[in-house]
Amino acid sequence: MNNSYDAIVVGGGVNGGAIAYQLAKRGASVLLLEKGRIASKASGAAAGMLAAQAELEDDGPLFQLAKKSRAMFPKLAVEIKEASGIDIGLINKGMLKIALAEQDMKEYNKIISIQQACGEQAEWLTGEEVRKLEPNLSTSVMGAMHIENDGQVEAPQLTVGLLKSAARHGVVIKENVEVESVKSTNGMVTAVMTNEGEFISDQVIIAGGAWSNQLLSRTGLPLETYPVKGECFSVTTHQALLTKTIFSHECYLVPKKGSRIVVGATVKPHTFNEQVTVSGISQLMEKARNILPGIVEAEWEKAWAGIRPQTADGLPYLGAHPELKGIFVATGHFRNGILLAPITGEIIADLVEGKAPKVDVNPFRVDRLTKQLT
Amino acid sequence: MNNSYDAIVVGGGVNGGAIAYQLAKRGASVLLLEKGRIASKASGAAAGMLAAQAELEDDGPLFQLAKKSRAMFPKLAVEIKEASGIDIGLINKGMLKIALAEQDMKEYNKIISIQQACGEQAEWLTGEEVRKLEPNLSTSVMGAMHIENDGQVEAPQLTVGLLKSAARHGVVIKENVEVESVKSTNGMVTAVMTNEGEFISDQVIIAGGAWSNQLLSRTGLPLETYPVKGECFSVTTHQALLTKTIFSHECYLVPKKGSRIVVGATVKPHTFNEQVTVSGISQLMEKARNILPGIVEAEWEKAWAGIRPQTADGLPYLGAHPELKGIFVATGHFRNGILLAPITGEIIADLVEGKAPKVDVNPFRVDRLTKQLT
Amino acid sequence: MNNSYDAIVVGGGVNGGAIAYQLAKRGASVLLLEKGRIASKASGAAAGMLAAQAELEDDGPLFQLAKKSRAMFPKLAVEIKEASGIDIGLINKGMLKIALAEQDMKEYNKIISIQQACGEQAEWLTGEEVRKLEPNLSTSVMGAMHIENDGQVEAPQLTVGLLKSAARHGVVIKENVEVESVKSTNGMVTAVMTNEGEFISDQVIIAGGAWSNQLLSRTGLPLETYPVKGECFSVTTHQALLTKTIFSHECYLVPKKGSRIVVGATVKPHTFNEQVTVSGISQLMEKARNILPGIVEAEWEKAWAGIRPQTADGLPYLGAHPELKGIFVATGHFRNGILLAPITGEIIADLVEGKAPKVDVNPFRVDRLTKQLT
Amino acid sequence: MNNSYDAIVVGGGVNGGAIAYQLAKRGASVLLLEKGRIASKASGAAAGMLAAQAELEDDGPLFQLAKKSRAMFPKLAVEIKEASGIDIGLINKGMLKIALAEQDMKEYNKIISIQQACGEQAEWLTGEEVRKLEPNLSTSVMGAMHIENDGQVEAPQLTVGLLKSAARHGVVIKENVEVESVKSTNGMVTAVMTNEGEFISDQVIIAGGAWSNQLLSRTGLPLETYPVKGECFSVTTHQALLTKTIFSHECYLVPKKGSRIVVGATVKPHTFNEQVTVSGISQLMEKARNILPGIVEAEWEKAWAGIRPQTADGLPYLGAHPELKGIFVATGHFRNGILLAPITGEIIADLVEGKAPKVDVNPFRVDRLTKQLT
């Protein structure tokens, strides 16, 4: 009986953590299973931008989802600090989506109009205005879309913070436990089989990032997702080079605590290989130097990579399994896994409890692409 | 002229950082020189207890100094977070100075009386009361002095936070630069000579921890300090084993963010050797297990050591050089380097500015022991 | 067509490496797939003892296998050094299986007789004789079985050396690729399905250590193996404390290059959890100190753990799948994975080529335990 | 009396290790003092080329010294392996000093003539011939000076190997001990003063690399040396990209064991700062890609830097202190510290013993530059 839980979450990344945290706060007994170590894959590798407006440009369902999730961070930061002692490093100093070519300028001004029409803050700054805010940016920056509300967090701390807060609310976390299959009777989930035996629950949430497919395909639900490698590196200085996050088509530069900067990220689809290549670093360095010339004198810290799950239509999967009752899916967040974690936790907790989420989750339902095919 | 500064701080630890930060806030141009890497010695190795009442028992000058410094942390935490983005992990959940023998009980109750007489909060808890607060403590805990106001910080983050905040206020930090000698004319400091050349200033603050003597002895001021190695280790769990810091004659257990516990520290005098020994870890483990039996199932994280500067009378050195005008000294903090850093920063900044510190620093003056000898 | 190979080896540990190396040397085109990073699990965690006589006491099939494998190391060391530049650290300074109690003395003398009867070198040394060879051993050592031919290697270097040598012979190594299933037609293997797509071969060797079951169970061959965690730690000194490997019922101490000593290993069955516990280190330290008192002053280096595959009868699985033609299995080596790697590589390469191995592999056949049950 | 030694070596790098090893082999009781950790500075950072002919082009005294030292490696490798178990990774697969411009071709052919006249092997290879030996080199390689006898070692292993072998011969190694001054009576050394007290000897060898000046200047012997930072990075592949070391004016690529490649090194004079910069890595990557295009797909491993001691005339200092009897100096090896370590050990041991070294050490005498000035 001590192997029986109200819900089992598969995946010890940021979304698995957010889901387990929400469920436990609502009173459920939860087991979280992680095949390796917690926070060790894409969630631990992310740069932590909350780029709702910078990354998502039009007024679609993902934009709405992202804005709602972004708004949840201040309260979540306080909760995690209280429950676990961990500071998630939430910084709300805004983002500059910089234009490096004429066409960027046109495009960004159009986006500003769209976003302002949705009631969002967004403004155009000339190159001079940008360099007044960030004097170390190069003159190749022709202007920027200034987004005051796109902040950032420390992604590894958010992930560990959610998981340790979940544990404080009673969630049992088991690492190095791999789910091999999901057991069911009469179309209803009853348990998961793992390399450390069976764990019983009639609610199983699959939040395994790019590795979710593997398990789902054995439940008769092959999702249309694929892995995309992203490589990053970081540098440190004593005097800060930047205040705001710099976002461009080419790369992003995220100023972290202690005058550290994370530069990312390459986009290499269809591989699970987590190795950092010389070409990846070399390209990022060149792009970063073009934007922030002073970075060449910064101290090299380290490089790393993460594997993110992308979907055919670019939207995440958030919903119930269409055939097997008791399975829920949260994956396919691609570059927005950190940003969307708070709302993902709430949506899935609502679905598990049988409540309607506050957000319309129809655009993210799990069978949307397969259904279209038939 | 760009090699000339209002003040030069020698030492990139927590006290060097606090001093540089205070001076820069007051408008001085400051150069900080660190022979290795910042925060890499005792300041980066400390467990971060703010044990003003637990460590210092009677109503002497050090107790007064420690209480004042402890009170400065909340404001400092906010400043550092604002200036550098770094959370110093200030936790004010109190400390339990536990009794493991009859004589401890007597001793601690006497201390409680003394401290209450000074107006400090301190109370006696029985074994049962202690285990109600901290259910994982063993029955070998016979009771405890409960000190609500002795908190803790993350020592490495405090150190780096002070230094990066100092940099934000204009302090120039140079690592791998070793001061070889102090130059003077007519008994007044004019510059320091380093392995990277000369830097000019008429105010030089020596805050090099256990390594301060080396430089001071070349200025005709051999201090009566000696190095004391302390070894620590840390473990992690998912479910937190402790809430409050546990302090005993034997060892201390400091619960850190994310359900991590730091266990320290051995006391091995008269060595600069920073190596962790099997005997050190073994003894700490045995003592910790006696206090917190559940620690045996915790996950091992790592072990490390730091070298702390102790003085003949147990008091730090805070003051001006008795003969060479323009030299100031801040060392000899032993186990209280983290706790005393805020007040140290203010005292030395006052002295450099020629102001009287708010605290009577006569007991800490640099020539007190040599003078007694003659 | 470039996804087609003569053979696919699943598992980037020491046995997968040995098999791939042998197959490639014999001219096969080989693909090696590793779900994580090569040499990152039990093979990278092993202490590297070649304890054919110390570990395996009677004249059974495993003893014979072990002796043959042990004899292959000198030639293999030369080959690996030549092909990859890697020194596997083969040391042939013998082993002392020490007696710490009267009953050990009786038992070991009986083993000596048995082994001498098999033509193996083995002799009894008194406590004084032992301490003449190893003066740092404690007086609690009552005597020892001295085995001149049980040497040791650096297990991580052997593993990486085999894999890099395999690559030099043309083996393609892919990391972070996980085999999800084996495809077959008419009872014959045709390909493997992975998270990076399909790879074609009619010969698939499963050498995934404790993780082999997972894949095998999906081929209708659930093996009777289970994981056993082993924790180790290492220390360093400048003056060497030991020359020979010390082996006891309690723990072993393996003197490595550069005066390093590896102390192992705990035995914790039925878990894949790779975390090192305080209790594990604490117990090993106590046992090691009892044998080698001087170890307490050695410098602590690090601790780690590995998960080893054990079988119900203690023998490894080496053989063909009983039903699915083209699948071969090499797992269940428990504490002898390093020792048995050379012969495992040859046996499996023989089986893949359809040759009879020089060793009788019937005792190790894959269906031996299931068959007995029916 | 146990603080008294025949000789004290200051510096735990490759040359300090070689000297201590030679002295101990000859029967001396030796104490080696290292201010930080052994092998942690330039010796641990070096790429390990034995580029006697590639680096030193004309027939001067340094060329002669280098050739003699290079010839000592095979025997030394065997000795270190025997004494410490450490393989120094000596590889004798030759070096290609590649021409990337017309003027390189002319210059290198001239050097070949000079070296052949000295009796050294050296030959010119066309671009096609070079790519026949190393097919992965780019077509920008116009030809190369092929030097069969310039091999390489693993510099950290050589350094640790020498030190551990020295320990096996009785040398006492103390880390974290800093020599503050040298004591003398009547112009003869009597002891060294350190942060851990006094150690007695009438022979003191200063082999502290770029940090030697600091101590020497306090003995009245300021040497004309200065620090030069060199940055490196390394990559790994499974299939080897190179067999021979590639040397150019721009950068070098050294193929290490296990298909690893070390790329080095920038040249940044007059700094002790050991930090790796973005510009350093970026430049090395660009140069390496121009020579070996396939390196862009290699896996990034890490980056590091070392501080090497250079002299005004480019020759090392090897000799006795001109005024203080009993002090010997070995520093200023710049890029040849690894290559020259064997002969440095022998020369200094000869001088300490009062014997004439087999090599004429007059060009390397310590007062050569100061004497010229007067």
Side-chain angles (χ1 to χ4, degrees):
Chain A
M1 214 52 172
N2 47 9
N3 266 354
S4 180
Y5 298 86
D6 292 338
I8 295 175
V9 177
V10 182
V14 72
N15 281 295
I19 294 164
Y21 175 65
Q22 283 300 333
L23 286 170
K25 267 180 61 184
R26 299 177 185 196
S29 71
V30 180
L31 171 68
L32 184 140
L33 301 174
E34 163 54 46
K35 67 190 271 191
R37 300 303 306 259
I38 60 166
S40 65
K41 295 292 184 176
S43 301
M49 287 185 294
L50 306 180
Q53 292 175 247
E55 180 101 49
L56 307 166
E57 297 160 355
D58 64 350
D59 187 21
L62 188 50
F63 185 56
Q64 295 304 321
L65 193 74
K67 282 197 306 175
K68 287 208 174 67
S69 201
R70 187 183 66 184
M72 296 169 71
F73 275 91
K75 181 162 165 286
L76 188 62
V78 173
E79 285 179 24
I80 290 174
K81 179 81 180 175
E82 173 60 29
S84 72
I86 292 171
D87 173 49
I88 67 166
L90 177 63
I91 297 178
N92 276 318
K93 297 200 173 151
M95 205 172 285
L96 291 168
K97 184 168 185 172
I98 56 170
L100 297 166
E102 288 290 337
Q103 68 189 72
D104 293 343
M105 295 176 67
K106 284 183 199 162
E107 186 193 333
Y108 295 177
N109 275 292
K110 210 171 109 192
I111 295 166
I112 289 171
S113 304
I114 294 170
Q115 297 198 345
Q116 286 176 340
C118 310
E120 292 300 310
Q121 184 282 335
E123 62 176 333
W124 177 254
L125 300 180
T126 64
E128 286 70 42
E129 288 167 331
V130 167
R131 276 181 293 281
K132 197 166 279 176
L133 292 173
E134 296 287 353
N136 294 315
L137 290 182
S138 85
T139 51
S140 66
V141 176
M142 302 170 73
M145 174 177 165
H146 182 206
I147 308 159
E148 287 178 4
N149 297 322
D150 273 0
Q152 53 139 315
V153 294
E154 304 270 348
Q157 280 84 333
L158 173 65
T159 308
V160 176
L162 280 166
L163 287 158
K164 297 288 179 173
S165 298
R168 192 62 68 100
H169 285 279
V171 174
V172 175
I173 297 173
K174 288 184 181 285
E175 295 173 281
N176 298 123
V177 175
E178 190 162 358
V179 178
E180 290 162 8
S181 59
V182 178
K183 283 190 163 183
S184 61
T185 308
N186 300 329
M188 296 174 67
V189 164
T190 57
V192 296
M193 272 305 301
T194 77
N195 56 358
E196 291 207 1
E198 191 175 284
F199 297 97
I200 295 165
S201 184
D202 52 9
Q203 312 264 32
V204 173
I205 300 99
I206 297 173
W211 293 265
S212 303
N213 276 13
Q214 203 172 326
L215 181 56
L216 280 166
S217 62
R218 284 181 222 134
T219 68
L221 182 71
L223 289 180
E224 299 289 318
T225 80
Y226 57 93
V228 182
K229 172 156 78 169
E231 297 156 295
C232 296
F233 73 86
S234 60
V235 299
T236 59
T237 56
H238 291 307
Q239 309 292 341
L241 292 174
L242 284 179
T243 303
K244 296 169 182 294
T245 298
I246 307 303
F247 190 97
S248 82
H249 284 317
E250 309 257 294
C251 74
Y252 52 74
L253 297 100
V254 189
K256 294 289 178 186
K257 63 180 177 185
S259 304
R260 189 175 165 251
I261 296 178
V262 171
V263 180
T266 58
V267 175
K268 299 186 173 174
H270 302 297
T271 181
F272 282 90
N273 186 300
E274 293 179 334
Q275 299 167 20
V276 174
T277 61
V278 169
S279 70
I281 295 175
S282 177
Q283 287 162 26
L284 287 173
M285 280 181 168
E286 200 172 333
K287 289 169 180 175
R289 183 176 43 189
N290 184 38
I291 295 168
L292 186 72
I295 203 171
V296 298
E297 291 315 314
E299 182 179 5
W300 172 259
E301 195 184 59
K302 60 179 175 175
W304 65 93
I307 306 295
R308 302 155 300 182
Q310 175 61 304
T311 64
D313 62 0
L315 301 183
Y317 287 111
L318 301 171
H321 194 288
E323 285 158 23
L324 213 44
K325 194 171 149 48
I327 295 191
F328 301 88
V329 177
T331 185
H333 294 73
F334 190 39
R335 287 160 62 121
N336 301 304
I338 300 303
L339 170 59
L340 298 177
I343 195 89
T344 297
E346 288 218 341
I347 287 170
I348 299 294
D350 285 341
L351 294 175
V352 167
E353 290 191 321
K355 290 193 213 162
K358 283 161 224 151
V359 187
D360 174 18
V361 295
N362 197 48
F364 312 115
R365 70 182 199 279
V366 169
D367 59 352
R368 66 183 185 271
L369 293 165
T370 19
K371 284 287 145 89
Q372 286 166 354
L373 291 173
T374 45
Chain B
M1 213 49 174
N2 46 9
N3 266 354
S4 180
Y5 299 86
D6 292 339
I8 294 174
V9 176
V10 182
V14 72
N15 281 295
I19 295 162
Y21 175 66
Q22 283 300 331
L23 287 169
K25 267 180 62 184
R26 299 176 185 198
S29 71
V30 180
L31 171 68
L32 185 141
L33 301 174
E34 162 56 45
K35 68 191 267 192
R37 299 303 306 259
I38 59 166
S40 66
K41 296 292 184 178
S43 300
M49 287 184 295
L50 306 180
Q53 292 175 245
E55 180 100 51
L56 306 165
E57 298 160 354
D58 64 348
D59 188 22
L62 188 48
F63 185 56
Q64 295 304 322
L65 193 72
K67 283 197 306 174
K68 287 210 174 66
S69 200
R70 187 183 63 182
M72 295 169 72
F73 275 90
K75 182 162 165 286
L76 189 61
V78 173
E79 285 179 24
I80 290 174
K81 179 80 180 176
E82 174 59 29
S84 72
I86 293 172
D87 173 49
I88 68 166
L90 177 62
I91 296 179
N92 275 318
K93 297 200 173 151
M95 205 173 284
L96 292 168
K97 184 170 184 171
I98 55 170
L100 296 167
E102 288 290 340
Q103 69 189 71
D104 292 344
M105 295 175 67
K106 283 182 200 162
E107 185 192 335
Y108 295 176
N109 275 292
K110 210 171 108 193
I111 296 167
I112 289 171
S113 306
I114 295 170
Q115 297 197 347
Q116 287 175 340
C118 309
E120 292 301 310
Q121 183 282 336
E123 61 176 333
W124 176 253
L125 300 181
T126 64
E128 286 70 42
E129 289 167 328
V130 166
R131 277 180 294 280
K132 197 165 281 176
L133 291 174
E134 295 288 351
N136 294 315
L137 290 182
S138 86
T139 51
S140 66
V141 176
M142 302 170 73
M145 174 178 168
H146 183 204
I147 307 157
E148 287 178 6
N149 298 323
D150 272 0
Q152 52 140 315
V153 294
E154 305 269 349
Q157 279 85 332
L158 173 64
T159 309
V160 177
L162 279 166
L163 287 158
K164 297 288 179 171
S165 298
R168 192 63 67 100
H169 285 278
V171 174
V172 175
I173 297 173
K174 289 184 181 284
E175 296 174 279
N176 299 124
V177 174
E178 190 161 358
V179 176
E180 290 163 7
S181 60
V182 177
K183 283 189 162 183
S184 61
T185 308
N186 300 329
M188 297 174 68
V189 165
T190 57
V192 295
M193 271 307 299
T194 78
N195 56 359
E196 292 206 0
E198 191 174 286
F199 297 96
I200 296 165
S201 184
D202 53 9
Q203 312 264 29
V204 174
I205 300 101
I206 297 172
W211 292 266
S212 303
N213 276 14
Q214 202 170 330
L215 180 56
L216 281 166
S217 63
R218 284 182 224 133
T219 67
L221 181 70
L223 289 180
E224 299 289 318
T225 80
Y226 57 94
V228 183
K229 172 156 77 168
E231 296 156 296
C232 295
F233 73 84
S234 60
V235 299
T236 59
T237 55
H238 291 308
Q239 308 293 342
L241 292 174
L242 283 178
T243 303
K244 293 170 183 294
T245 297
I246 308 303
F247 190 99
S248 82
H249 284 318
E250 308 258 294
C251 74
Y252 53 75
L253 297 100
V254 189
K256 293 290 178 185
K257 63 180 178 184
S259 303
R260 189 173 165 251
I261 296 177
V262 170
V263 179
T266 58
V267 175
K268 299 186 172 172
H270 301 298
T271 180
F272 281 91
N273 185 303
E274 295 179 332
Q275 299 168 21
V276 174
T277 61
V278 169
S279 70
I281 295 176
S282 177
Q283 287 161 26
L284 287 174
M285 280 182 170
E286 201 173 334
K287 289 170 180 175
R289 185 176 43 190
N290 184 39
I291 294 168
L292 185 71
I295 204 171
V296 297
E297 293 313 315
E299 182 178 5
W300 172 259
E301 196 184 60
K302 60 178 175 176
W304 66 93
I307 306 295
R308 302 155 300 183
Q310 177 60 304
T311 64
D313 62 359
L315 301 183
Y317 286 112
L318 301 171
H321 194 289
E323 284 159 25
L324 212 43
K325 192 171 152 47
I327 294 190
F328 302 87
V329 177
T331 186
H333 294 73
F334 191 38
R335 288 160 62 119
N336 302 305
I338 300 301
L339 170 60
L340 299 176
I343 197 90
T344 297
E346 287 218 341
I347 288 170
I348 299 295
D350 284 341
L351 295 174
V352 168
E353 290 192 321
K355 289 193 212 162
K358 283 161 223 152
V359 187
D360 174 18
V361 295
N362 197 46
F364 313 115
R365 71 181 197 281
V366 168
D367 59 353
R368 67 182 184 271
L369 293 165
T370 18
K371 284 284 145 92
Q372 286 166 356
L373 292 173
T374 45
Chain C
M1 214 49 172
N2 46 11
N3 267 354
S4 179
Y5 297 87
D6 292 340
I8 295 174
V9 176
V10 182
V14 71
N15 281 294
I19 294 162
Y21 175 66
Q22 283 301 330
L23 286 170
K25 268 180 62 185
R26 298 175 185 197
S29 70
V30 179
L31 171 67
L32 185 140
L33 301 175
E34 162 57 44
K35 67 190 270 190
R37 300 300 309 256
I38 59 167
S40 66
K41 296 290 184 177
S43 301
M49 287 185 295
L50 307 180
Q53 292 176 245
E55 180 100 50
L56 307 166
E57 297 161 353
D58 64 349
D59 189 19
L62 187 50
F63 185 55
Q64 295 304 320
L65 193 74
K67 284 197 306 176
K68 286 208 174 67
S69 200
R70 188 182 65 183
M72 295 168 72
F73 274 90
K75 182 164 165 287
L76 188 63
V78 173
E79 285 178 25
I80 290 174
K81 179 80 179 174
E82 173 61 27
S84 71
I86 293 171
D87 174 48
I88 67 166
L90 178 62
I91 297 179
N92 277 317
K93 295 200 173 153
M95 205 173 284
L96 292 168
K97 184 170 186 171
I98 56 170
L100 296 167
E102 288 290 338
Q103 69 190 71
D104 292 344
M105 296 175 68
K106 284 183 198 160
E107 186 193 332
Y108 295 176
N109 275 293
K110 209 171 108 192
I111 295 167
I112 290 171
S113 304
I114 294 169
Q115 296 197 347
Q116 286 176 339
C118 310
E120 292 301 310
Q121 183 282 335
E123 62 175 333
W124 177 253
L125 300 180
T126 64
E128 287 69 43
E129 288 168 329
V130 167
R131 277 180 292 281
K132 197 166 281 177
L133 292 173
E134 296 288 351
N136 294 316
L137 290 182
S138 86
T139 51
S140 65
V141 176
M142 303 171 73
M145 175 177 167
H146 182 205
I147 308 158
E148 287 178 4
N149 298 322
D150 273 359
Q152 53 139 314
V153 294
E154 306 269 348
Q157 280 84 333
L158 173 64
T159 307
V160 176
L162 279 166
L163 286 158
K164 296 287 180 174
S165 298
R168 193 61 69 99
H169 285 278
V171 174
V172 175
I173 296 173
K174 287 183 182 285
E175 295 173 280
N176 299 124
V177 175
E178 189 160 359
V179 177
E180 291 163 7
S181 59
V182 178
K183 284 190 162 184
S184 62
T185 307
N186 300 328
M188 297 175 66
V189 166
T190 57
V192 296
M193 271 307 299
T194 78
N195 55 358
E196 293 207 1
E198 191 175 284
F199 297 96
I200 296 165
S201 183
D202 53 9
Q203 313 264 26
V204 173
I205 299 100
I206 297 172
W211 293 266
S212 302
N213 277 13
Q214 202 171 330
L215 181 56
L216 281 166
S217 63
R218 286 182 221 134
T219 68
L221 182 72
L223 288 180
E224 300 288 318
T225 79
Y226 57 94
V228 183
K229 172 155 77 169
E231 295 157 297
C232 295
F233 72 85
S234 59
V235 300
T236 59
T237 56
H238 291 309
Q239 307 293 340
L241 292 174
L242 284 178
T243 303
K244 294 170 183 293
T245 297
I246 307 302
F247 190 100
S248 82
H249 285 316
E250 308 257 296
C251 74
Y252 51 74
L253 298 100
V254 189
K256 293 289 177 185
K257 63 181 178 184
S259 305
R260 190 173 163 251
I261 296 179
V262 171
V263 179
T266 57
V267 175
K268 299 186 173 174
H270 302 297
T271 180
F272 281 92
N273 186 301
E274 293 178 334
Q275 299 168 18
V276 175
T277 61
V278 169
S279 70
I281 294 176
S282 177
Q283 287 162 27
L284 288 173
M285 278 182 170
E286 200 173 333
K287 289 170 179 175
R289 184 177 44 190
N290 184 37
I291 294 167
L292 185 72
I295 202 170
V296 298
E297 292 314 315
E299 181 181 4
W300 172 260
E301 195 184 59
K302 60 178 175 177
W304 65 92
I307 306 294
R308 303 153 302 181
Q310 176 60 304
T311 64
D313 62 359
L315 301 184
Y317 287 112
L318 300 170
H321 194 289
E323 284 158 25
L324 212 44
K325 193 171 150 49
I327 293 191
F328 302 89
V329 177
T331 186
H333 293 74
F334 192 39
R335 288 161 61 120
N336 301 305
I338 301 301
L339 171 59
L340 298 176
I343 196 93
T344 295
E346 287 218 341
I347 286 170
I348 299 295
D350 284 342
L351 294 175
V352 167
E353 290 191 322
K355 290 192 211 162
K358 282 161 221 149
V359 187
D360 174 16
V361 293
N362 198 46
F364 313 115
R365 72 182 197 280
V366 169
D367 59 353
R368 66 183 186 271
L369 293 165
T370 19
K371 284 287 146 87
Q372 285 167 356
L373 292 174
T374 45
Chain D
M1 215 48 175
N2 47 11
N3 265 355
S4 180
Y5 298 86
D6 293 340
I8 294 175
V9 176
V10 182
V14 71
N15 282 296
I19 294 163
Y21 175 66
Q22 283 300 331
L23 286 169
K25 268 180 62 183
R26 298 176 186 197
S29 71
V30 179
L31 171 67
L32 183 139
L33 301 174
E34 164 55 44
K35 67 190 268 191
R37 300 301 308 257
I38 60 168
S40 65
K41 295 290 184 180
S43 301
M49 287 186 294
L50 307 179
Q53 292 176 247
E55 181 101 50
L56 307 166
E57 297 160 354
D58 64 348
D59 188 21
L62 187 50
F63 185 56
Q64 295 304 321
L65 193 73
K67 283 197 307 176
K68 287 210 173 68
S69 200
R70 187 183 65 183
M72 295 169 72
F73 275 90
K75 181 163 166 286
L76 188 62
V78 173
E79 285 179 25
I80 290 174
K81 178 82 179 172
E82 174 61 28
S84 71
I86 293 171
D87 173 49
I88 66 166
L90 178 62
I91 296 178
N92 276 317
K93 296 201 172 149
M95 204 171 286
L96 292 168
K97 184 171 186 170
I98 56 170
L100 296 166
E102 289 290 338
Q103 70 189 70
D104 292 343
M105 295 176 67
K106 283 183 197 161
E107 185 194 334
Y108 295 177
N109 274 293
K110 210 171 109 191
I111 295 167
I112 289 171
S113 305
I114 294 169
Q115 296 198 348
Q116 285 175 341
C118 310
E120 292 301 310
Q121 184 283 336
E123 62 176 332
W124 177 254
L125 299 181
T126 64
E128 286 71 43
E129 288 167 331
V130 166
R131 277 181 293 280
K132 198 167 278 176
L133 291 173
E134 296 288 351
N136 294 315
L137 290 182
S138 85
T139 51
S140 66
V141 176
M142 301 171 75
M145 175 178 166
H146 182 204
I147 308 158
E148 288 178 5
N149 298 323
D150 271 0
Q152 53 140 313
V153 295
E154 305 269 349
Q157 280 84 332
L158 172 65
T159 308
V160 177
L162 279 166
L163 286 158
K164 297 287 179 173
S165 298
R168 193 63 67 100
H169 285 279
V171 174
V172 175
I173 297 172
K174 290 185 182 284
E175 294 172 280
N176 298 122
V177 175
E178 188 160 0
V179 177
E180 289 164 8
S181 60
V182 178
K183 284 189 162 185
S184 60
T185 307
N186 299 329
M188 297 175 67
V189 165
T190 58
V192 296
M193 271 308 299
T194 78
N195 56 357
E196 292 206 1
E198 190 174 285
F199 297 96
I200 296 165
S201 184
D202 54 8
Q203 312 264 28
V204 173
I205 300 99
I206 296 172
W211 293 265
S212 303
N213 275 14
Q214 202 171 328
L215 181 56
L216 281 165
S217 63
R218 286 181 221 134
T219 68
L221 182 70
L223 289 180
E224 300 288 319
T225 79
Y226 57 94
V228 183
K229 172 155 77 168
E231 296 157 295
C232 295
F233 72 87
S234 60
V235 299
T236 59
T237 55
H238 291 309
Q239 309 292 341
L241 291 175
L242 284 178
T243 303
K244 295 171 182 294
T245 297
I246 307 303
F247 189 100
S248 81
H249 283 316
E250 308 258 294
C251 73
Y252 51 74
L253 297 100
V254 189
K256 292 290 177 183
K257 63 180 178 184
S259 304
R260 188 173 165 253
I261 295 178
V262 171
V263 179
T266 58
V267 175
K268 298 185 174 174
H270 302 296
T271 181
F272 282 91
N273 184 300
E274 293 178 335
Q275 298 168 20
V276 175
T277 60
V278 169
S279 70
I281 294 175
S282 177
Q283 286 162 27
L284 287 173
M285 279 182 169
E286 199 173 334
K287 289 171 180 173
R289 183 176 44 189
N290 184 38
I291 295 168
L292 185 72
I295 202 170
V296 297
E297 291 315 313
E299 181 179 4
W300 172 261
E301 196 183 60
K302 59 179 175 175
W304 65 92
I307 306 295
R308 302 154 301 183
Q310 176 60 304
T311 64
D313 62 358
L315 301 183
Y317 287 111
L318 301 171
H321 194 288
E323 284 157 24
L324 212 43
K325 193 172 151 47
I327 294 190
F328 302 88
V329 177
T331 185
H333 293 74
F334 191 37
R335 288 162 61 121
N336 301 305
I338 300 301
L339 170 60
L340 297 177
I343 195 92
T344 296
E346 287 218 341
I347 287 169
I348 299 295
D350 285 341
L351 294 175
V352 168
E353 290 191 322
K355 289 192 214 163
K358 282 161 221 149
V359 187
D360 174 18
V361 294
N362 197 47
F364 314 114
R365 72 182 197 279
V366 168
D367 59 352
R368 67 182 184 270
L369 293 164
T370 19
K371 284 285 146 87
Q372 285 166 356
L373 291 173
T374 45

